[in-house]
Structures are given as C-alpha cells and as structure tokens.
Amino acid sequence: MTRLFLFLAFFCPFFFLFTYNSGYGYDAYEYLIIGRSLNEGYVLYDFIPSKSYLLYSSTNVLLNLLGGYNHISVSGLITLLATGVVLSAWRAARLVSERAAFIAVGLTAASCCFMEMNFLEPESWVSIFGLNAFTLAVGGKDRSTWRWLGAGVLLGLAMCFKSVAAFYVVGFGAFIFVLFLTGRLTFWPMVGRGMVVLLGFALPLVLSAFYFYLTNRLAAHLEWTYIYPFGGYPAHTIFLTKFLIKLSWFLVLLAISFVLIWQQPYRKQYQQTPALWLALLMAAFACVAMLKTQASHYFFPAAVFFALHLGFMADSWLSNYEARHQAMSYRLVFLGGGLVVLLLLISGLLYRPATIRRLVTIADYSGEEQAGAFIREQAGPTGKVLLFDNALSLYYLSDREPNVPFIFTEMQTSHYIESHPDTYGRALADTSLKLVVFGNRSSVIDDSTALSKPANAYAIQQLRSGLQQNFVQIKNPRFPLIYWVRK
C-alpha cells in the first residue's frame, strides 16, 4: 500500500496539471453545459443528451461541491475520477498479486493520459463501476449470490452513465458460460448466476425509467439512453489512424502478451486463474463499441481490463525469471520500465508533440471570459442565444442557453430535426432569442453528412430566411465571427 500512496502522490498533481492545461475537450463542454443548466431551472432531457442521464446530474452535484463551473473545479473532478479508476484497478489486480496490481496501476494511469480521461469523459465512471463489479464478483472466497447480484447493480449504475456498459454485462454472461463449458458450473447454477447478474443490472435501469415515467420524461429517457445510442448512431472510421498512432504503445504491449500467453507455463497459469478470463472477456466485449468509432476514449473501458491481463503476464514473467536466476536484476527492471516509457514517448511524439507543453506550462484562459462577456452583452440578462459555430464552447463561456432542445448540431440533432423540421423557424420567430452565431463555415452544421437530407435542408433554409427577416449582422473585431442580433 505504501507504494500505491507514493504513486498517487506523484500521479494526482501530475494529472491535475495535465488536465488543467488540456482545456475541456469537445464532449466535455456538452456535459458541463447540460449539467450547469440544472442550476438554471432546467431538468434532464430539456436538452438532447449524448450520454445517459447520471453523467449530467452527477457532474452538476460534484462540481457544486467542488466550487462551481471553473477550470480548477473541473480539473479537480477529472483528477478525482482518474484516481478512482487507478484505485479500482489496484483493488481488482490485487486478486492476482501486489506486483501485478502495481504494474496494472501504472498502465491504467498512463491510459488515463493517452485515452482522453484528462477530459470529462463518462468512460471514467464506466470503468470505475466495471472494475469494482469485477472485484465484487470474483474477489470473495464464498462466491455468494449476493456478490453477483451486487456486481450486476454496479454494471447497471455504469449503464446510467453511458450505454457502452452493456457490453460489460455481455462479458459477464460469456464468462459464466465459459465456466459451464469448463465444468466449473453445472447447467442450472449457470442459469441462476446469469439471471442474478441480469436482475442486478436491471434494477437501476428500471428504477430510473420509473422515475422518468413519474416525471413525464420516459419517452425522452428511452430515446436518448437506449434507442438512439444502439440503433441510430452511424459508424465511421474517422479516428482510426489517430487511434493506431496514439495507442501504439498499448497495442504493442498487448501483442507481446498474446504471443507469450501461448507458451508454457503461462498458458497453464492462465487456465488456473478464472478471474482473468472474466477480465479478458470484459475487455474483448468492451471493444465492440469501437465498431462505431475509434476515438481513443472508447477504448478505455477495455484498456483497464487489458491492464489487469498485462499486469498478470508481467508478474508471471518476472516470477519465472526469478525462479531461474534467484534474484531480480535491477538492470532488467530499468530496461523493462525504460521500454514502456520509450513506447509512451514515441506514441506521444508521433501523435501530437505539442502535448508535452501541457506538462511544463500553466494555461491562460482569460481570453475566453471576454468572448463569453460579449455574447452576454448582446443577449442581455434573460435573452436566449442560438449558436452554430464553436457552439459548445460559446454556450459554456457565455452561460446562456438556446431556445431549442439541443446545444450542438451533431448526429443526435439531425435525428431530432427529421421529425421536427420547423425547429429553426420557430426558434427565430421567438422574440426571446436575441443572438445567433451562424455562417462562419462551409459545413454550416456539425453533422455535414446530413446537410443534403430533405428535413435538414428545409430547416437550414428556414434559418437563413429567418435571419434575413428578423436579424442584422454585427461584428466583434476581437472575436472574428459573424454575429446576428435581433433588429
């Protein structure tokens, strides 16, 4: 434990500095805007969310406790979440050995930096609940039914942050089936254990649905938590090259481990450690989400379990080495650690060399306050704004909301516009709308793939007509965007 505390004493300030200098990131702005809107009298699903509801409500509660919506509080929250992931990885990997746990912790901490956990991503929450569900299920000697029920509840809570947690449940199901195939469970105990996990998983989801039913928001809850994420979000490979470069260090380590695992005695050791089967299956099924997009944070829920696997493999190799050589060579330790550091450095430099500056500077965000102040001045104390260009950052900085149920024009919005094509027309006819930022880029909306669809084309035409009829262009020389204010 002493080594863990020493590691955290180094990691936490390091990661806080890295996070603070990274800014918010595209996705994080959305979580912050919707979370903050709960302080302004809005409720969940007044705005279309891209993730499950608990991300927004927990962000709002925790940031209010930490001091509000500012860079220090947000960076502190992100650091707390990363620390939670690291501690959860320690608990899970200690089921193997102390040394495996320390290796897994180091890999998990590095993954936090390389897989965008320095932004406010829900994968931190998903991984915390997933790792603790794993520990609860396989960590006890009694293997009681209550442990598996509790693991299912934790996975259900993870699902309340992001729908990808459902793949962890598939991993649990596959593990229980493998236990049956290998003779460690008979048929009916297999069925019973699987049903207990599903019951635990369903409990938070059913209670959530019941709450939104009582508050007349069940349809929106079902649409944006289940229907759209699993059925409506289109797949693409935009980030694949970036993913392969940025995470090459991790992929190389995985490739080495998979070559090693087929050799004796590692294969035998793996066969005798069923907990690792669960870790590997949860990692494998978590990778299914990457069929949609290869953004590096999508890989994080898999990476935390691959780190358990890598910790076990490294510990096994070191144990076999010690058995042959009586003692561990310090030279070998430095070479092994140096190899991992070298892989991290190469991946970072190939991906984005400027990232190194985040570790040696303190970012200055004073200019952002001036951009937000200009929008507040134009909109007045109660006016609404409708922003298309730099929308998420400008909504956040200006602390103003739109009079439409969305804050960006990504694919969720295109999906909404298909059934609500008059949204922009009604928004511009509403006199509470005082300012619009539009016309600064050729793609017009974030989801450029939907521009030619009839509903979107009609909606954009209504927007252009409404701007010409009711608004006039102004400019701010300090922030060169096209602003439209009501005549």
Side-chain angles (χ1 to χ4, degrees), residues 114-170:
F114 278 79
M115 300 178 196
E116 299 178 343
M117 294 306 106
N118 51 308
F119 303 119
L120 190 61
E121 294 293 355
E123 281 77 8
S124 291
W125 285 108
V126 172
S127 300
I128 289 171
F129 283 108
L131 286 165
N132 283 285
F134 167 88
T135 305
L136 183 61
V138 301
K141 296 180 180 179
D142 54 354
R143 304 290 197 274
S144 70
T145 300
W146 290 108
R147 284 184 169 274
W148 291 89
L149 179 66
V153 170
L154 291 175
L155 296 176
L157 290 172
M159 181 80 171
C160 294
F161 283 89
K162 191 173 182 180
S163 55
V164 296
F167 295 116
Y168 278 164
V169 182
V170 180

Side-chain angles (χ1 to χ4, degrees), residues 254-271 280 309 312-313:
L254 272 183
I256 293 172
S257 74
F258 288 139
V259 171
L260 194 63
I261 200 174
W262 292 109
Q263 303 178 19
Q264 291 288 7
Y266 306 107
R267 182 170 56 188
K268 183 178 180 181
Q269 291 173 319
Y270 221 92
Q271 291 170 345
L280 208 55
H309 156 81
F312 171 80
M313 294 304 298

Side-chain angles (χ1 to χ4, degrees), residues 415-436:
H415 177 72
Y416 176 84
I417 290 293
E418 288 178 7
S419 55
H420 302 82
D422 292 319
T423 296
Y424 295 141
R426 292 197 302 269
L428 268 65
D430 177 7
T431 56
S432 70
L433 180 65
K434 303 299 183 182
L435 173 74
V436 179

Side-chain angles (χ1 to χ4, degrees), residues 246-298:
K246 188 177 181 182
L247 302 187
S248 56
W249 66 275
F250 198 91
L251 301 178
V252 168
L253 293 176
L254 272 183
I256 293 172
S257 74
F258 288 139
V259 171
L260 194 63
I261 200 174
W262 292 109
Q263 303 178 19
Q264 291 288 7
Y266 306 107
R267 182 170 56 188
K268 183 178 180 181
Q269 291 173 319
Y270 221 92
Q271 291 170 345
Q272 294 173 345
T273 315
L276 290 170
W277 308 352
L278 176 57
L280 208 55
L281 285 167
M282 291 180 74
F285 282 101
C287 289
V288 173
M290 300 191 68
L291 295 176
K292 288 283 189 180
T293 177
Q294 298 76 44
S296 58
H297 62 273
Y298 269 60

